[in-house]
Amino acid sequence: MFYCAEALLFSRELSFGKHSAVISAFGKHFVKTGVFNPKFHRYLLDAFDVRNLGDYGTMHVVSKEKAAELLTWGREFLLEVKLVLKDS
């Protein structure tokens, strides 16, 4: 989802060096403007939190159920991104 958000921003000639900046800019340029449903911003935020816990959390394990949910969100996110990029 993160790389999809980066691609969307890049399509508008926007680029950011931090994950948090990409996520924030996605919300500003694509959710607040009505291009994307706010749930996609929530997906991105939640996935980033899980990624941080998985990578940096002490003794934190991402459950199979949570990983499956994130994959479902990622597929949905990708489909929406493809539609938006196709129309631009």
Side-chain angles (χ1 to χ4, degrees):
M1 288 185 280
F2 174 78
Y3 292 118
C4 289
E6 273 194 320
L8 285 166
L9 292 163
F10 191 72
S11 75
R12 295 195 176 175
E13 299 182 9
L14 298 169
S15 181
F16 301 91
K18 295 180 76 174
H19 283 79
S20 58
V22 169
I23 294 167
S24 177
F26 172 77
K28 178 181 177 183
H29 294 280
F30 292 97
V31 176
K32 288 190 180 196
T33 59
V35 175
F36 277 82
N37 183 307
K39 75 178 180 179
F40 291 104
H41 194 229
R42 176 53 40 205
Y43 288 176
L44 195 56
L45 288 164
D46 289 353
F48 183 62
D49 287 345
V50 171
R51 179 245 182 201
N52 281 334
L53 284 173
D55 285 353
Y56 307 112
T58 306
M59 303 299 284
H60 184 81
V61 176
V62 177
S63 70
K64 287 182 183 181
E65 294 81 11
K66 187 60 174 179
E69 180 180 44
L70 291 170
L71 286 170
T72 299
W73 292 354
R75 288 182 190 101
E76 188 179 351
F77 198 97
L78 178 60
L79 290 173
E80 290 296 316
V81 168
K82 284 180 176 182
L83 290 173
V84 169
L85 288 176
K86 180 179 151 189
D87 291 340
S88 61

